[in-house]
Amino acid sequence: MRETTDHIVDLIERLGRIARSAQHAEGMKPAQWEALRFLARANRFSRTPGALADFLSSTRGTVSQTLIALDKKGLIKRKANLGDARIKQLELTKEGRAIVNRDPLHMLEKAVASVGEEPGLAENLERILRNIIHQHGNRPFGVCLACRHFRCDGASSHARGPHRCMLSGEPLSDVDSNQICREHEARAA
Ligand code: SF4
């Protein structure tokens, strides 16, 4: 059992090392790729510097430097948040979306796909990740579809989407429902 556990930890470490070394592509730094990936996946409530810092378990200062670099490269833009003018909303630019499509981690996706989808593998890795996040007191993040505040309401014809976040009261589209959120709270199994 111990041997198996050590082996799994070794595999995670080696895969992580390969992933990290790939993240200097396009003249970028790993933290810059991580920020772009987050902005491509996060919902509109979570595309903020603070949520990004929480997601990366990083400091506001470090994230600020990353955002300045991405801004200079023309990969992100900052908009005023309509709900709170003190908070800046972050968005990918057209160039930012294009570079995300060339993400060097796609090679890992291809490698995973090439061995076939192992039922339970993603769930087990997710459980390990959530345990560690919980131990460190960090926010877990997650998609609306698995959140206890999500209400699926196909009958509604609200202009922004047929679903609703019962925490904020905001409508959610199908696209929103698959994006990650800082306020996510896992639904009871
Ligand atoms: S339903 Fe949950 S995950 Fe979705 S926006 Fe609301 S709090 Fe966030």
Side-chain angles (χ1 to χ4, degrees):
M1 179 66 176
R2 177 79 197 154
E3 201 175 304
T4 308
T5 307
D6 286 349
H7 186 47
I8 291 170
V9 171
D10 182 50
L11 291 173
I12 291 172
E13 200 277 330
R14 288 173 68 188
L15 284 169
R17 193 158 3 105
I18 291 169
R20 276 193 302 280
S21 69
Q23 296 192 84
H24 293 278
E26 310 254 1
M28 304 257 288
K29 293 185 175 162
Q32 294 169 4
W33 278 112
E34 285 164 1
L36 291 181
R37 254 177 238 128
F38 173 79
L39 294 178
R41 292 178 57 211
N43 70 10
R44 64 183 185 276
F45 313 114
S46 302
R47 290 193 294 265
T48 64
L52 175 60
D54 285 345
F55 184 76
L56 298 179
S57 302
S58 189
T59 65
R60 303 290 195 268
T62 302
V63 161
S64 171
Q65 293 305 311
T66 300
L67 293 174
I68 289 169
L70 293 174
D71 216 344
K72 280 188 185 156
K73 289 174 190 275
L75 301 176
I76 62 163
K77 57 190 172 192
R78 303 167 200 246
K79 294 193 309 192
N81 183 303
L82 293 179
D84 185 342
R86 293 165 304 173
I87 300 174
K88 286 287 176 229
Q89 186 89 22
L90 304 168
E91 302 289 344
L92 293 177
T93 60
K94 190 169 147 231
E95 292 76 16
R97 285 193 297 278
I99 202 168
V100 166
N101 286 335
R102 303 194 298 274
D103 187 339
L105 286 199
H106 288 334
M107 66 78 178
L108 276 182
E109 288 169 23
K110 283 187 194 147
V112 171
S114 73
V115 295
E117 295 213 352
E118 173 76 26
L121 177 60
E123 286 85 353
N124 286 338
L125 287 172
E126 174 116 23
R127 210 172 300 139
I128 293 167
L129 177 65
R130 286 189 183 279
N131 275 346
I132 293 172
I133 286 172
H134 182 70
Q135 282 168 23
H136 286 81
N138 295 335
R139 286 175 183 266
F141 284 75
V143 297
C144 294
L145 289 173
C147 177
R148 73 185 186 90
H149 301 298
F150 179 71
R151 289 293 173 276
C152 178
D153 181 9
S156 164
S157 60
H158 194 286
R160 292 197 70 172
H163 317 301
R164 189 166 292 277
C165 170
M166 301 309 285
L167 183 67
S168 65
E170 289 281 322
L172 298 165
S173 68
D174 286 337
V175 172
D176 294 329
S177 307
N178 274 299
Q179 292 178 319
I180 57 173
C181 173
R182 183 194 206 188
E183 306 303 331
H184 173 93
E185 286 183 53
R187 211 171 23 219

